[in-house]
Each structure stands twice: as C-alpha cells, then as structure tokens.
Amino acid sequence: MWSASSAAEGSLLMKTILMYTSVPIEFHIICDSEAQVFVEQRLSLVTHPAYDVRVFFYLPSWQSMLDRVEREGSIHTDHSAGLPGLMKLFIHEIVPPHVKKGIYIDTDALFISDPALLWDVFSRLKPTTSIVMGSHPDQDSPEWSHASRICSCVMLLDLDKLRKGRLMDSSIWKGTQPEALSPPTFRKMYGDPRLSGTGKYANVRLGDQGYWWAIVDGRPDIFEPLSFDFEITSCLMDTYMIGLGHETVTEEEEMSRQIHVKDTPQEGQVILPKLLHFNCLHGTPIYIEWEGWSDPNDFLNERWGAAVRYHQGYKWIWLNKGKTLKTTLKMTTSRNMPFADERFALEHGITY
C-alpha cells in the first residue's frame, strides 16, 4: 500500500478477510507511513476479533527500493504503480525469512468467502511449484507481449522456494553465486538489455506483471494456475458474466452463462466466486468511489454493486466477535529492513 488511496482500498480488503476468516490471520503489509496511519486507525477499533490477528507493517524507504532495483540492474517500469509496484517482485526479500509462504492480493479486491479456502490451495500444489496466479491463455495482446495471459493481482507465493532460487538478480551476487532465476526468462522474452540502448529491458508492459509473465512463461515448472473462483476480475473478463442474483440457479446453468473460460484451465468447471477484483475502473484512484456504482444501468454495478456497498458499510466494530477478551489484534512496525542481497552482503563481509 502506497498512499492513503491504496490504504482505503486495502483496509476494505483486510476488513473482508476478518469478516469471513475461520482461522487466525497474519497480515504483512509493505507500505508508506501515510497508508500505515490510515490502516491503524481502522484496526484500532477491533479489540477482540473472532481469532487472533497479527499485523506486520514494513516501511522501506524510497531510496532503499530504488537502490534494490538498481542492484538488479535491468528492470524498470512506466506503469502507474511506479517503483512501489515493482516491489511485488521482491516480497520474498522484504518479509523476514521465517515467513515461508504468503498470499499477495492487490488492494482493489475484496473477499466474499473464507480466505482460508485460498490458503488451502498451498496444500494441493506440486512440490516444485513456487508461484500460483490466474492464467488466461485465451488472451491475445501482442502489444503487451501477451502479459495479459496472467494476472499478478492475486498470487500464492512459496517465499522460501523463491529465496532459495534467488528470484531476482543483484550486483552483490554476481561472481559469487549462480545466476538468479529470473534473468534468463527476462532475456528470453525481452532480449538482452545491453542492446536496448538504455541498459533496461525494452517493451515490458503492465508493470510488475510483465516481469511475472516472463518468469512463469519461461519457467512453467514452478507455476500453477489459480482457480477463477479467486479472481473474479472486472478487467477484460467482465467478471465472467456472473454476479449476484438468480439465487436458485444450478451449477450447470451457471456454467452455461460463463464467458472467457474457453481454452483456459477453468474450462468445464463452474466458477464459484470467493474473491472479487475491481481493476481497470478508470477515472478514480479508489475503486469504491467509481461513478459506475451509482449507475443503475451499469452491468458491473448490477452484478456486484450490492456486494461493494455492503462490505464498505460493514462497521469495523462489528468485527469484535470474540466471545471473550482473550483474542487480540497486535501490530508491529519494521523500518528500513535490509533486502535479501544486503543481508547476504552483511553475512559474507561484502562491501557494496
């Protein structure tokens, strides 16, 4: 979360997680101080949640993020998410090593079901899998190098495997360690950055997603697709033409209405929504304030507007579901923590 706008979205996402969870929750939030204050104000209203909640804030400085990208050497972005958006490629380096797995979710999303169902996906993965996200092989976007064939909006990440494979390169590792996992995949898709004229990879679109796309396309052995149940997206997919209403519909009828599923891993399986993602709603920095939610003739509003309004209006104090005062919500802050390559340098006496 970077800014109060992203925190307004992200705190709603967090609220829905706490509304539906059936297990204790840990949040690991990479953010700036403005976003932290916004989130803390809301979480302070939750004094006895249904289950214990732990919130860890990580506040990297702008310079430290810039330095880490420079040590990688060849990535850059022209996406609106900017430098903080590239940090999605370094989550495994920012959160501490004892955090072995994690789920990344864009702030413009909300749960309508138990988030533990998404965590359970980890238990069904192949031993080699490090990355899980939505897969859309039916999408054709050569201007983006086909990066729309995935969405890095919801990702299950085996952080431990990504650390051991050293996902991202660093000048600190050069000459002391084998090549990192991502550079061969980047070169395969975008060419040698030394020949681009800038020293950076050329024609990378959609910010971090362009790099994730190169990684999973070049290393399919570490990737598995995520069920569309957890990626009901308003961008390109029209939420697969499913939404609220028709409460007695059968699975067969529902599946017959679905769109954008042919030639995808979801083909032949009914989509049962659990997480909604309201991306590509242009004209506002906060999707909750999108003008379409007040348009009774808008198809997205017709399908999901009631869900947005309900979850936005749900009071934070209503999350005080604990039957005793023994359940707690605790928050911890870390500032200017070293990235993994910096920890390696400190451990091995390397000057950089």
Side-chain angles (χ1 to χ4, degrees), residues 4-260:
S5 295
S6 65
E9 295 184 339
S11 60
L12 176 54
L13 169 62
M14 295 173 68
K15 187 204 296 184
T16 63
I17 290 172
L18 297 179
M19 286 172 65
Y20 295 113
T21 186
S22 61
V23 295
I25 289 291
E26 278 192 9
F27 293 107
H28 295 264
I29 305 173
I30 302 169
C31 62
D32 63 3
S33 57
E34 185 180 21
Q36 180 182 10
V37 169
F38 190 101
V39 172
E40 283 181 333
Q41 288 174 340
R42 282 145 184 81
L43 291 178
S44 66
L45 298 170
V46 184
T47 55
H48 49 286
Y51 301 92
D52 284 334
V53 179
R54 299 294 177 262
V55 185
F56 300 89
F57 293 100
Y58 305 92
L59 279 70
S61 70
W62 191 270
Q63 188 62 50
S64 71
M65 296 190 296
L66 186 62
D67 290 345
R68 181 62 185 94
V69 170
E70 286 301 310
R71 291 196 300 274
E72 194 286 333
S74 301
I75 66 173
H76 71 109
T77 182
D78 57 6
H79 191 267
S80 60
L83 178 63
L86 288 180
M87 291 302 103
K88 288 166 65 175
L89 295 159
F90 298 95
I91 293 172
H92 62 292
E93 296 196 19
I94 297 174
V95 300
H98 71 265
V99 182
K100 304 297 185 183
K101 297 175 182 177
I103 298 171
Y104 169 85
I105 305 173
D106 276 359
T107 58
D108 52 354
L110 59 83
F111 277 91
I112 58 172
S113 188
D114 187 353
L117 297 172
L118 181 54
W119 186 267
D120 286 347
V121 174
F122 277 118
S123 67
R124 301 191 293 274
L125 299 179
K126 295 179 292 187
T128 57
T129 299
S130 303
I131 303 165
V132 179
M133 66 180 80
S135 176
H136 305 279
D138 58 318
Q139 291 297 301
D140 188 31
S141 53
E143 70 277 16
W144 295 337
S145 301
H146 303 292
S148 59
R149 290 181 177 171
I150 60 163
C151 185
S152 60
C153 46
V154 182
M155 300 187 290
L156 277 69
L157 301 174
D158 190 315
L159 302 172
D160 200 39
K161 287 188 174 73
L162 296 178
R163 294 183 189 107
K164 291 176 180 177
R166 286 181 307 105
L167 177 67
M168 301 301 292
D169 205 0
S170 170
S171 56
I172 292 174
W173 287 321
K174 283 186 169 61
T176 65
Q177 297 291 304
E179 187 172 34
L181 187 153
S182 63
T185 70
F186 295 162
R187 292 194 298 269
K188 179 182 177 182
M189 182 160 290
Y190 301 118
D192 191 331
R194 296 173 298 180
L195 305 178
S196 68
T198 64
K200 309 295 183 182
Y201 294 108
N203 301 315
V204 183
R205 297 292 180 261
L206 305 183
D208 68 282
Q209 186 165 306
Y211 295 106
W212 284 113
W213 167 235
I215 292 167
V216 301
D217 184 65
R219 290 293 305 271
D221 56 308
I222 65 171
F223 172 72
E224 288 189 51
L226 180 65
S227 167
F228 292 177
D229 290 8
F230 300 103
E231 194 213 9
I232 308 299
T233 171
S234 58
C235 189
L236 300 179
M237 308 304 164
D238 303 305
T239 71
Y240 312 108
M241 208 56 72
I242 57 177
L244 297 172
H246 308 288
E247 62 172 320
T248 59
V249 70
T250 66
E251 289 194 359
E252 292 74 20
E253 290 174 306
E254 186 81 335
M255 190 160 57
S256 71
R257 300 171 184 170
Q258 295 174 178
I259 62 173
H260 299 303

Side-chain angles (χ1 to χ4, degrees), residues 301-314:
N301 181 35
E302 182 182 344
R303 291 195 293 272
W304 293 112
V308 173
R309 289 184 286 273
Y310 169 72
H311 290 94
Q312 182 185 13
Y314 191 97

Side-chain angles (χ1 to χ4, degrees), residues 247-322:
E247 62 172 320
T248 59
V249 70
T250 66
E251 289 194 359
E252 292 74 20
E253 290 174 306
E254 186 81 335
M255 190 160 57
S256 71
R257 300 171 184 170
Q258 295 174 178
I259 62 173
H260 299 303
V261 293
K262 184 175 173 54
D263 299 323
T264 76
Q266 193 74 31
E267 185 172 8
Q269 302 174 61
V270 66
I271 299 172
L272 303 173
K274 298 174 179 64
L275 190 151
L276 312 180
H277 184 209
F278 298 110
N279 49 346
C280 300
L281 301 186
H282 303 294
T284 176
I286 305 175
Y287 81 88
I288 308 159
E289 299 175 357
W290 177 59
E291 61 181 11
W293 299 129
S294 60
D295 181 355
N297 297 314
D298 185 272
F299 288 140
L300 182 62
N301 181 35
E302 182 182 344
R303 291 195 293 272
W304 293 112
V308 173
R309 289 184 286 273
Y310 169 72
H311 290 94
Q312 182 185 13
Y314 191 97
K315 293 178 172 60
W316 283 89
I317 58 172
W318 294 351
L319 294 171
N320 290 316
K321 303 175 184 178

